[in-house]
Amino acid sequence: MSRIGKKPVELPSGVSASVSGQTIEIKGPKDTQSFTATDDVNLAVEENKVVVTPRGKSKRARQQWGMSRTIVANMVTGVTAGFKKELEINGVGYRAQMQGTTLKLSLGLSHEVNFDVPAGITVTTPKNTQIIVEGTDSQLVGQVAANIREWRKPEPYKGKGIKYVDEYIFRKEGKKK
């Protein structure tokens, strides 16, 4: 039995859900999102709650049960509050700035990195060493933040690079004379 799958997903006020076949569509104040579940689970809306149940007792059905429930819960959170990832840039001369829908990064490379922000995601730079990625899709927000971080991962000696705000960088000691 999936402990996560057993819990129904509560729909807060202002959020509505509709199921047609294996597709669920959730409408909220920020956005509308849809998800198509596999044939291993049933989706139902009952009394302002979304209930996910497995079809059968196979291992795959039990795996899809918990995962589908979590995806629906993330969609509800996304259309009400949204998701946010904060990145921090460390290093001399390293900086970021937004120009339209393009994030311009100066990361000590021979050229400036131009990162095109996908639709549905907003990127802001309150300071030139801070990047905030926001959106309604949890997976897309995390992927965009990871793609930005990929340009210059933090190194363990001086800590230079792009890191998540809550990330701890294990520091190494340099050469000894």
Side-chain angles (χ1 to χ4, degrees):
M1 293 290 288
S2 172
R3 289 186 201 169
I4 294 171
K6 280 193 267 186
K7 297 178 192 169
V9 179
E10 301 266 342
L11 296 175
S13 61
V15 176
S16 64
S18 61
V19 178
S20 62
Q22 288 298 102
T23 303
I24 185 167
E25 186 175 274
I26 297 179
K27 294 179 184 171
K30 287 195 171 203
D31 197 10
T32 300
Q33 291 188 355
S34 64
F35 166 66
T36 304
T38 61
D39 291 331
D40 298 314
V41 294
N42 286 327
L43 298 169
V45 179
E46 300 169 0
E47 301 164 5
N48 227 13
K49 294 179 182 177
V50 178
V51 180
V52 181
T53 54
R55 288 184 185 168
K57 300 213 183 274
S58 68
K59 183 176 182 180
R60 179 170 162 77
R62 288 181 284 128
Q63 290 169 342
Q64 295 295 320
W65 181 21
M67 187 200 67
S68 298
R69 189 259 179 213
T70 303
I71 290 173
V72 171
N74 281 344
M75 286 169 48
V76 170
T77 305
V79 298
T80 54
F83 291 96
K84 178 176 166 180
K85 292 270 187 183
E86 294 184 35
L87 299 165
E88 187 178 89
I89 301 174
N90 294 325
V92 176
Y94 289 13
R95 61 184 170 275
Q97 73 181 66
M98 280 299 294
Q99 285 187 348
T101 60
T102 303
L103 177 67
K104 295 200 176 286
L105 299 167
S106 298
L107 300 171
L109 301 171
S110 62
H111 55 86
E112 226 178 42
V113 175
N114 294 328
F115 184 82
D116 293 324
V117 178
I121 297 292
T122 57
V123 175
T124 55
T125 53
K127 295 187 245 172
N128 63 359
T129 59
Q130 186 180 11
I131 303 169
I132 298 175
V133 181
E134 293 175 301
T136 57
D137 186 359
S138 172
Q139 193 273 331
L140 190 58
V141 168
Q143 188 63 52
V144 168
N147 290 346
I148 292 170
R149 183 181 180 271
E150 191 72 29
W151 279 102
R152 186 68 92 180
K153 287 185 180 174
E155 52 97 13
Y157 296 101
K158 292 183 179 177
K160 291 167 48 171
I162 303 173
K163 72 177 190 81
Y164 296 108
V165 168
D166 57 351
E167 182 180 12
Y168 174 74
I169 306 300
F170 180 76
R171 295 293 180 89
K172 292 182 179 178
E173 191 175 334
K175 285 185 186 177
K176 294 196 177 189
K177 290 187 177 181

